[in-house]
C-alpha cells in the first residue's frame, strides 16, 4: 500500500512539473497575470478610491464581494465550532474550588459545605493549577493595552500600509486570548461574555453587508461605496475611501469576536468552565 | 427595482443568517420565522430573475459598480436561474419538515442550526449565481464549512464521517482552486465570460489543459463520482435528519451544475466535447459509477444508507449524460439536476419521518408501515417510482432523454447501465414495499391482526407529512411539465 501511495505521489508530481513547464517565467513583467488587469489597478486605484495601498483597494473595493464572503467564512467557522463543541448540560461536581485572594490559599469545598460569600476576598476557580503568578499577570496587564492599541492602528492604517481588518482583528483577538491564558477563562468570560462575542461576530459581518445594502438602498448597486457620498458628506471618491474604512472596521470586529469565541469553545471543549 | 433582484437573492439570506445568530442569544422564538421568510423572499426574487431571463435573456449584475473583469459580476442565464429556483424551493420545503426535528434534536442550538442552514443555502446560491471563477471558490468554502458542521452533529459516527468529508472536501476544493490558478496564470483574468474569450487561443498549451483537468477532478471529488465517493455514504447516513433533505438533495446537484458551467461557459463546447478520448473515459467512469452505486445499494439494510448509494448512481447518470456531448444527453443531464433534487428531497424527507417515528429506518423496522404511516408511504411510493423511472413521474423523462442521448452517441454501454440501474431500483424499492405491506411482525402474526385498525395509524408530525406529500406531488408536476422546461429553459443552454 505504501509503495502504491509513493508511486502515485511521484506520478502526480511529475505530471504537475511537466505541465507547469509552460508557465510564464517567475516575475516576468510580460506575463498575462501582470499585463492584463494589474496595470488598471496600479494606474487607477488612487484615482478611483483615494487609497494609496492598492492591495486594500482591490481587496475591499474592486473585489469587495469576495472579501465580504471571506469574512462570512470566518464567521461560519466560529458558528460551526460553537455548534459542534458547545455543551450546555453541566456535570454536577461535588466539590468547588475557591482561592483566597490575599494569601493565594485554595479552599476545596465539598458538597453541602459553606460557600465563601465575600467576592472581594475569594475567587472561584476551576482547577488547582489555575495560574496566579504575579509576574505574568502584571506583565500581561502592561502588554495587553499596547497590543490592543496597535491592533486599532493596524485596522485604521490599512489604507496606507500593510494591515486592515483581518490582521487587526486577529491581533485584537490575540490580546483577549493572552488575557485568558495569563489569568483564567472564567475571568475573561466575565469581561467579554460568550453572548457578547457571538453578537459582535454577527454585528461585524452585518456592518459589512449592511454598508453594501445601504449603497443599494441609496440607488446604486450592492457594495458601490460611491453612493454613500450624500450620507458621508464627501465626494464620491472620498466616500469610497471611507466606505473601505467602515467595511474594514466591520471585518476587524467580526474577526476579533470569532477568534475569542473559537478560543472559548476549543480551550474548554465547549464547557466554558475550566481554563486551558 | 427588478434590476436589484439578483443582489437580493444573495444579500437576504446572508443578512438573515447573521440576524438569526444574534437573535438566538436574545429571543429564540423568531429564528424559525426569519428563516422561513428568508427562503420565501429569495425564492420570490429567483422567480423574478427567471422571468427576467425568459423575457430578456442573460441578466448581469455588477457588484460595487465595477465593469466585469475589474470587479465581480453576477451572471444569470437560463441554466443558473433554473438551479436557483431548485435550491430555494428545496430549502423551503425541507425547512417546513425540519421544524419539529430541530426542536427535538437541538433544543439549545436551534438558532445556530437555522443560521448554519441559511448560510449553507446562501453558499449554494452564490456558487450558482456568480460569474467569477474565484468567487465561486469562496462560496464553495461557505457551503462546505457549514455542511461539515451540520453533518458533524448527527448520530453515531457522524463526527468521524464529518471529519472524513472535511478532508476529502478540502482536497476537492483545493484542486478546483489550483485549476483556477492555472487558468489565471495564462490569462490574467478570473471572470468567466472573459476567460471564455481569452482561452481559445491557449487551448493547446499544457497549462490550460491541466487547469481544466484539475478543476474537473476537484469537482468530481465534491460531487462524489464513483471512485472518489468514499466520503458520501457515511456522511449522508449519519447526518441529522433535519438537514439531510437539504444537504443530500442539493450539494451534488450544484456541483454538477458547476461542472456544466465550467465545461460549457468557461471553456467552449468545442473544447470540452472536442476531445474524444476524455469523453470516452468520463462516460466509462459514469457507467462504472452507475453500476457500482446500484450494486452497493443492493447490499444495504436501511433506507437512508440505500439512498446514499442511489445518489452515487444518479451522479453517474448526470455526469455520463453530460459527457455524451450531444443535445439530448446534455438536456437529460440538466433535467436530471432538477428532477433528482426533487426525488432525493422526497425520499430523504420520508426517511427522516421513519427515523423520527420509528427511531430507525432499518428495513426490519418498516413492517406494517403502510398501515402505520399511510400518507408518508404514499410519498415514498411516488418517490420510488420516480427513481425507478415510471411515467408520469419526472424520473422517467430525464432517463428518456439520457437514453436517447446515449443511443445517438452510440454509447450502448451507458444505455445498458441506465437500464440495469433501473432494474436494480425496482428490486430495491419493491423489497421495501413488500416489507411495508405484507411483512409479519416478529412474533409471527400478520400485521392486520396484530394492530387494530383504529389504533394503527401512527403518522409522522403534520409538517413532515405535508412536506413529503408536496415533494411527491412536485415529482408528478415536474414530470408533466417536462416539455415546457425543455423548450422554454434548457434549450437555451446547449
Amino acid at each position: 500500500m505504501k509503495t502504491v501511495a509513493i508511486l502515485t505521489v511521484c506520478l502526480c508530481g511529475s505530471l504537475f512539473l511537466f505541465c507547469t513547464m509552460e508557465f510564464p517565467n517567475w516575475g516576468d513583467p510580460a506575463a498575462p497575470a501582470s499585463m492584463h488587469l494589474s496595470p488598471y489597478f496600479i494606474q487607477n486605484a488612487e484615482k478611483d478610491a483615494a487609497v494609496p495601498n492598492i492591495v486594500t483597494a482591490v481587496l475591499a473595493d474592486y473585489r469587495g464581494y469576495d472579501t465580504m464572503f471571506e469574512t462570512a467564512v470566518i464567521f461560519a467557522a466560529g458558528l460551526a465550532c460553537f455548534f459542534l463543541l458547545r455543551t450546555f448540560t453541566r456535570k454536577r461536581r461535588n466539590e468547588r474550588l475557591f482561592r483566597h485572594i490575599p494569601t493565594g490559599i485554595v479552599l476545596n469545598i465539598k458538597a453541602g459545605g459553606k460557600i465563601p460569600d465575600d467576592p472581594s476576598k475569594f475567587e472561584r476557580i476551576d482547577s488547582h493549577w489555575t495560574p496566579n503568578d504575579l509576574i505574568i499577570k502584571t506583565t500581561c496587564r502592561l502588554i495587553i493595552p499596547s497590543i490592543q492599541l496597535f491592533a486599532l492602528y493596524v485596522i485604521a492604517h490599512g489604507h496606507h500600509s500593510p494591515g486592515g481588518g483581518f490582521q487587526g482583528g486577529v491581533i485584537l483577538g490575540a490580546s483577549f486570548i493572552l488575557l485568558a491564558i495569563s489569568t483564567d477563562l472564567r475571568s475573561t468570560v466575565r469581561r467579554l461574555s460568550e453572548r457578547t462575542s457571538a453578537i459582535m461576530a454577527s454585528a461585524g459581518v452585518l456592518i459589512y453587508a449592511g454598508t453594501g445594502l445601504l449603497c443599494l438602498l441609496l440607488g446604486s448597486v450592492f457594495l458601490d461605496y460611491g453612493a454613500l457620498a450624500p450620507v458621508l458628506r464627501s465626494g464620491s471618491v472620498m466616500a469610497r475611501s471611507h466606505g473601505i474604512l467602515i467595511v474594514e472596521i466591520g471585518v476587524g470586529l467580526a474577526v476579533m469576536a470569532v477568534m475569542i469565541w473559537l478560543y472559548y469553545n476549543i480551550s474548554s471543549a465547549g464547557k466554558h468552565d475550566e481554563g486551558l | 427595482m427588478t434590476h436589484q433582484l439578483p443582489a437580493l437573492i444573495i444579500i437576504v439570506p446572508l443578512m438573515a443568517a447573521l440576524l438569526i445568530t444574534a437573535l438566538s442569544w436574545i429571543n429564540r422564538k423568531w429564528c424559525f420565522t426569519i428563516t422561513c421568510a428568508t427562503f420565501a423572499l429569495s425564492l420570490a426574487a429567483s422567480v423574478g430573475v427567471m422571468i427576467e431571463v425568459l423575457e430578456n435573456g442573460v441578466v448581469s449584475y455588477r457588484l460595487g459598480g465595477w465593469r466585469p473583469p475589474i470587479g465581480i459580476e453576477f451572471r444569470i442565464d437560463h441554466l443558473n436561474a433554473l438551479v436557483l429556483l431548485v435550491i430555494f424551493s428545496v430549502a423551503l420545503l425541507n425547512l417546513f419538515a425540519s421544524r419539529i426535528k430541530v426542536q427535538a434534536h437541538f433544543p439549545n442550538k436551534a438558532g445556530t442550526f437555522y443560521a448554519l442552514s441559511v448560510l449553507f443555502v446562501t453558499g449554494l446560491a452564490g456558487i450558482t449565481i456568480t460569474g467569477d471563477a474565484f468567487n465561486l471558490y469562496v462560496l464553495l468554502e461557505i457551503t462546505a464549512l457549514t455542511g461539515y458542521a451540520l453533518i458533524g452533529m448527527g448520530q453515531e459516527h457522524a463526527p468521524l464521517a464529518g471529519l472524513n468529508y472535511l478532508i476529502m472536501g478540502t482536497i476537492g476544493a483545493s484542486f478546483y482552486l489550483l485549476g483556477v490558478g492555472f487558468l489565471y496564470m495564462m490569462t490574467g483574468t478570473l471572470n468567466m465570460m472573459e476567460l471564455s474569450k481569452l482561452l481559445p487561443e491557449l487551448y493547446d498549451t499544457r497549462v490550460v489543459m491541466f487547469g481544466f483537468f484539475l478543476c474537473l477532478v476537484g469537482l468530481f471529488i465534491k460531487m462524489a463520482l464513483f471512485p472518489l465517493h468514499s466520503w458520501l455514504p457515511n456522511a449522508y447516513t449519519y447526518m441529522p435528519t433535519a438537514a439531510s433533505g437539504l444537504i443530500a438533495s442539493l450539494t451534488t446537484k450544484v456541483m454538477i451544475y458547476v461542472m456544466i458551467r465550467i465545461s460549457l461557459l468557461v471553456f467552449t463546447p468545442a473544447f470540452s466535447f472536442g476531445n474524444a478520448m476524455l469523453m470516452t473515459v468520463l462516460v466509462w467512469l459514469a457507467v462504472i459509477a452507475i453500476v457500482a452505486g446500484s450494486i452497493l445499494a443492493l447490499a444495504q439494510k436501511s433506507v437512508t444508507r440505500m439512498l446514499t448509494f442511489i445518489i452515487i448512481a444518479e451522479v453517474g447518470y448526470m455526469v455520463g449524460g453530460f459527457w455524451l456531448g450531444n443535445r439530448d444527453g446534455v438536456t437529460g443531464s440538466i433535467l436530471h439536476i432538477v428532477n433528482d433534487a426533487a426525488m432525493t428531497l422526497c425520499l430523504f424527507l420520508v426517511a427522516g419521518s421513519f427515523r423520527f417515528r420509528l427511531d430507525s429506518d432499518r428495513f426490519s423496522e418498516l413492517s406494517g408501515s403502510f398501515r402505520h404511516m399511510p400518507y408518508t408511504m404514499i410519498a415514498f411510493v411516488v418517490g420510488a417510482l420516480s427513481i425507478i423511472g415510471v411515467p408520469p413521474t419526472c424520473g422517467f423523462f430525464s432517463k428518456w432523454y439520457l437514453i436517447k442521448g446515449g443511443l445517438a452517441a452510440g454509447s450502448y454501454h451507458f444505455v445498458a447501465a441506465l437500464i440495469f440501474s433501473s432494474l436494480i431500483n425496482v428490486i430495491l424499492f419493491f423489497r421495501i414495499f413488500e416489507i411495508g405491506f405484507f411483512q409479519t411482525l416478529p412474533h409471527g402474526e400478520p400485521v392486520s391482526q396484530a394492530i387494530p385498525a383504529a389504533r394503527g395509524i401512527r403518522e409522522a408530525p403534520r409538517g413532515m407529512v405535508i412536506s413529503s406529500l408536496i415533494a411527491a406531488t412536485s415529482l408528478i408536476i415536474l414530470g408533466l411539465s417536462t416539455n415546457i422546461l425543455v423548450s422554454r429553459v434548457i434549450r437555451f443552454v446547449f
Side-chain angles (χ1 to χ4, degrees), chain B residues 437-450:
Chain B
F437 223 96
F438 299 114
Q439 185 82 286
T440 52
L441 287 175
H443 18 93
E445 36 194 343
V447 178
S448 48
Q449 280 136 46

Side-chain angles (χ1 to χ4, degrees), chain A:
Chain A
M1 202 62 211
K2 218 173 180 181
T3 34
V4 176
I6 290 174
L7 269 178
T8 321
V9 169
C10 290
L11 213 78
C12 291
S14 38
L15 192 66
F16 257 79
L17 285 179
F18 174 69
C19 292
T20 48
M21 278 194 307
E22 286 180 358
F23 266 8
N25 284 332
W26 186 253
D28 182 4
S34 29
M35 285 301 289
H36 190 66
L37 286 179
S38 306
Y40 177 88
F41 292 136
I42 294 169
Q43 286 159 14
N44 296 298
E46 176 91 57
K47 262 188 281 169
D48 283 343
V51 178
N53 185 350
I54 300 170
V55 177
T56 304
V58 174
L59 184 97
D61 195 353
Y62 296 114
R63 297 188 69 87
Y65 177 70
D66 266 349
T67 311
M68 183 177 77
F69 272 105
E70 287 296 354
T71 322
V73 167
I74 291 173
F75 171 76
L79 203 60
C81 206
F82 167 81
F83 189 59
L84 289 173
L85 288 178
R86 188 79 168 100
T87 45
F88 289 103
T89 46
R90 196 164 293 170
K91 228 195 256 166
R92 272 244 138 165
R93 283 206 248 156
N94 45 13
E95 53 175 45
R96 287 176 164 196
L97 301 175
F98 284 88
R99 179 157 54 204
H100 187 231
I101 298 170
T103 59
I105 296 169
V106 175
L107 303 177
N108 186 348
I109 293 169
K110 291 266 161 35
K114 182 174 178 289
I115 290 167
D117 48 3
D118 184 359
S120 64
K121 285 203 180 128
F122 288 94
E123 63 174 341
R124 167 109 193 263
I125 55 175
D126 294 300
S127 53
H128 279 286
W129 47 273
T130 304
N132 182 27
D133 190 319
L134 188 67
I135 298 175
I136 294 178
K137 269 192 175 166
T138 318
T139 319
C140 290
R141 181 168 286 183
L142 287 174
I143 292 177
I144 287 171
S146 10
I147 294 179
Q148 291 181 337
L149 264 183
F150 179 66
L152 294 180
Y153 164 80
V154 170
I155 294 179
H157 220 253
H159 281 47
H160 299 276
S161 59
F166 288 99
Q167 297 86 334
V170 167
I171 299 172
L172 261 181
S175 74
F176 274 87
I177 293 175
L178 183 61
L179 180 69
I181 293 174
S182 68
T183 58
D184 57 356
L185 196 65
R186 189 181 289 279
S187 56
T188 316
V189 172
R190 212 180 299 131
R191 276 168 201 268
L192 187 83
S193 70
E194 185 189 23
R195 185 183 150 164
T196 320
S197 64
I199 293 177
M200 268 162 81
S202 26
V205 194
L206 263 181
I207 290 178
Y208 204 140
T211 312
L213 189 65
L214 193 63
C215 306
L216 189 150
L217 293 177
L218 287 171
S220 185
V221 291
F222 189 59
L223 286 174
D224 182 6
Y225 312 129
L228 295 174
V231 181
L232 298 169
R233 292 161 196 263
S234 59
S236 76
V237 173
M238 270 323 276
R240 283 194 172 275
S241 173
H242 294 326
I244 292 174
L245 182 66
I246 296 172
V247 159
E248 293 272 19
I249 291 170
V251 173
L253 194 66
V255 172
M256 174 197 83
V258 169
M259 287 300 139
I260 297 167
W261 201 12
L262 282 176
Y263 178 81
Y264 284 174
N265 278 319
I266 293 177
S267 69
S268 65
K271 292 198 286 286
H272 285 217
D273 52 359
E274 278 164 48
L276 193 70

Side-chain angles (χ1 to χ4, degrees), chain B residues 155 161 232-241 244 302 304-306 308-309 348 355 361:
Chain B
Q155 326 83 324
L232 187 139
N234 278 337
Y236 283 11
T237 308
Y238 299 123
M239 80 174 137
T241 46
S244 60
S302 79
T304 314
R305 209 167 167 79
M306 181 188 88
T308 59
F309 285 99
F348 266 86
R355 279 206 196 166
D361 57 352

